[in-house]
Amino acid sequence: YAGRLSLAVLLIFGLCLNFSAAAWSATWKMALGDSNGSPQHEVGKKFKEALEAKTNGKYKVTLFLNGQLGSEQDTVNDAAMGTLDMSCLAINNVTPFSPTVGVLSLPYVIQSLEEAAMLTQGEVGRELTENTIRDAGVRIVAWTYTGFRVLTNSKKPVSTLDDLQGLIVRVPKNEIMIDTYKSWGINPSPMAWSETFTALQQKVVDGQDNPYLTINAMQFYTVQKYITPIRYLFSIEPLIISEQLYQSLTPEMQEIVLAAGREATSHSQKFLADSEAAIIKDLTENKGMEIVMPADNEKLWIEKATQAVWPKHYKSIGGKEKLEKVLEILGRPQQ
Ligand code: MLT
């Protein structure tokens, strides 16, 4: 009897050990829309490295690049349902599920990396994170800074809004961006990111906009020639985690996830500041792209977009006061 009892105790003890080992280890899948060398990839790698170091390798992350796990917008739904653990994606692809983050992509609001960092890492970022948990079922744990989305096309130099007319420009499926191009007088073609390269290659569309770092990492220079460095949208790409997954973690583990996210955010800020100038040089000197400056310091582009798009989206961002607050933080209160 004593022998059987100790066997049972050993078994139960073994089961407990096994159970806690299982609960205290995992491999998470992270989706990324972009390729090797992109700012998304930098953030993904940094988060993975920090998480694995802080948990002595018990928690691991596997990165799936180039939209292997689906379009960026699909990954938000998948993470909300708990069928995907993490995703790093452009903010414009989060907005359809969490409209208030649109305040960060209203045209001509953010005007530098410093402004992007100040907003996302401060009170505004915290509020938008809470809203995204509520509205989209995912939590933002890090911010990728990718730079201004510049306009590229394969057909002609574009400097004025007149030059833009007649071009077929792909935009993400994002109402703010669609409305911005409409304010400039053209009807853009909304399309998933995962289909964009092929559409440019097959000349289904003539142009698109994305930051220099993305254009370079995704090799868009092989299918695009002219760059117009407009500054209507500073690209920010949140790293999100499934809220279901986050809530299943212990408080200690949640803190580790957030700390790994903070490291990834700082790394991203430095990565952009350190690499953008060299990438612009490479694109223009070695990869055949040509920069055409927007006419008159972009005056008309700015006027048209801000006048038409801001008021139209006050409601979706949670009220005009949300934009006013952001502009005040940036030291540019609305007149
Ligand atoms: C888009 O244009 O849909 C995104 O900005 C692409 C990206 O994730 O880099």
Side-chain angles (χ1 to χ4, degrees):
Y1 172 77
R4 260 184 297 180
L5 186 68
S6 41
L7 190 65
V9 169
L10 267 177
L11 259 173
I12 291 168
F13 184 65
L15 273 176
C16 287
L17 267 184
N18 241 333
F19 175 74
S20 59
W24 281 93
S25 67
T27 300
W28 293 339
K29 285 187 177 158
M30 184 193 293
L32 299 104
D34 293 351
S35 58
N36 199 10
S38 63
Q40 288 184 3
H41 188 211
E42 285 297 316
V43 160
K45 278 190 303 186
K46 192 62 174 184
F47 180 87
K48 170 185 165 73
E49 181 191 303
L51 185 89
E52 294 181 358
K54 287 175 198 300
T55 61
N56 293 321
K58 292 201 176 83
Y59 281 77
K60 294 189 169 42
V61 182
T62 309
L63 270 48
F64 294 86
L65 292 158
N66 284 315
Q68 283 175 74
L69 299 185
S71 78
E72 289 197 353
Q73 293 197 3
D74 286 347
T75 65
V76 181
N77 277 331
D78 294 344
M81 287 187 311
T83 55
L84 173 67
D85 304 311
M86 302 190 77
S87 174
C88 188
L89 73 164
I91 198 155
N92 44 272
N93 291 327
V94 177
T95 317
F97 310 94
S98 180
T100 62
V101 302
V103 72
L104 298 182
S105 46
L106 283 176
Y108 299 102
V109 170
I110 296 179
Q111 284 303 291
S112 66
L113 168 59
E114 292 66 34
E115 290 189 353
M118 191 203 321
L119 290 176
T120 50
Q121 293 171 38
E123 189 195 333
V124 172
R126 283 190 291 278
E127 184 181 329
L128 295 177
T129 298
E130 287 306 318
N131 294 350
T132 304
I133 296 166
R134 180 195 67 203
D135 298 337
V138 297
R139 176 179 294 257
I140 298 168
V141 294
W143 302 93
T144 314
Y145 306 105
T146 312
F148 287 103
R149 295 180 70 109
V150 296
L151 174 67
T152 67
N153 87 89
S154 57
K155 280 205 160 151
K156 58 177 181 178
V158 172
S159 174
T160 64
L161 289 179
D162 281 347
D163 299 333
L164 185 67
Q165 306 312 304
L167 280 185
I168 305 174
V169 178
R170 172 269 169 181
V171 285
K173 295 178 186 166
N174 173 293
E175 293 303 325
I176 293 176
M177 295 168 81
I178 294 170
D179 287 337
T180 302
Y181 277 89
K182 285 187 176 162
S183 80
W184 292 334
I186 64 168
N187 248 329
S189 304
M191 185 183 288
W193 177 232
S194 43
E195 293 158 21
T196 304
F197 185 87
T198 312
L200 291 166
Q201 192 174 39
Q202 296 178 348
K203 302 201 183 301
V204 176
V205 293
D206 304 317
Q208 61 88 47
D209 68 55
N210 257 294
Y212 288 112
L213 271 64
T214 309
I215 291 166
N216 189 50
M218 301 299 287
Q219 302 186 0
F220 275 24
Y221 51 83
T222 60
V223 289
Q224 296 281 270
K225 167 90 181 151
Y226 301 102
I227 302 176
T228 311
I230 48 177
R231 297 164 73 86
Y232 84 109
L233 186 42
F234 186 97
S235 182
I236 295 170
E237 310 191 83
L239 174 64
I240 57 171
I241 187 167
S242 160
E243 183 62 5
Q244 275 189 42
L245 169 61
Y246 184 84
Q247 288 304 335
S248 73
L249 302 172
T250 61
E252 294 75 22
M253 196 53 213
Q254 290 179 343
E255 188 37 54
I256 287 177
V257 167
L258 299 182
R262 284 192 293 272
E263 280 186 34
T265 300
S266 319
H267 174 68
S268 180
Q269 195 172 337
K270 190 166 165 5
F271 180 73
L272 176 61
D274 290 350
S275 59
E276 194 176 42
I279 285 176
I280 297 173
K281 195 164 183 283
D282 187 36
L283 285 172
T284 50
E285 288 182 8
N286 309 319
K287 292 178 171 159
M289 297 198 83
E290 195 176 303
I291 293 185
V292 186
M293 293 310 286
D296 201 12
N297 278 334
E298 227 173 312
K299 187 165 178 283
L300 210 53
W301 301 70
I302 298 172
E303 268 171 30
K304 296 265 182 203
T306 52
Q307 281 167 18
V309 183
W310 286 8
K312 188 162 178 203
H313 289 274
Y314 286 152
K315 194 155 170 247
S316 67
I317 62 164
K320 185 179 180 193
E321 60 280 10
K322 299 289 176 192
L323 175 62
E324 285 170 346
K325 182 171 153 195
V326 162
L327 292 172
E328 204 173 302
I329 294 173
L330 297 178
R332 280 186 266 122
Q334 215 174 350
Q335 303 307 319

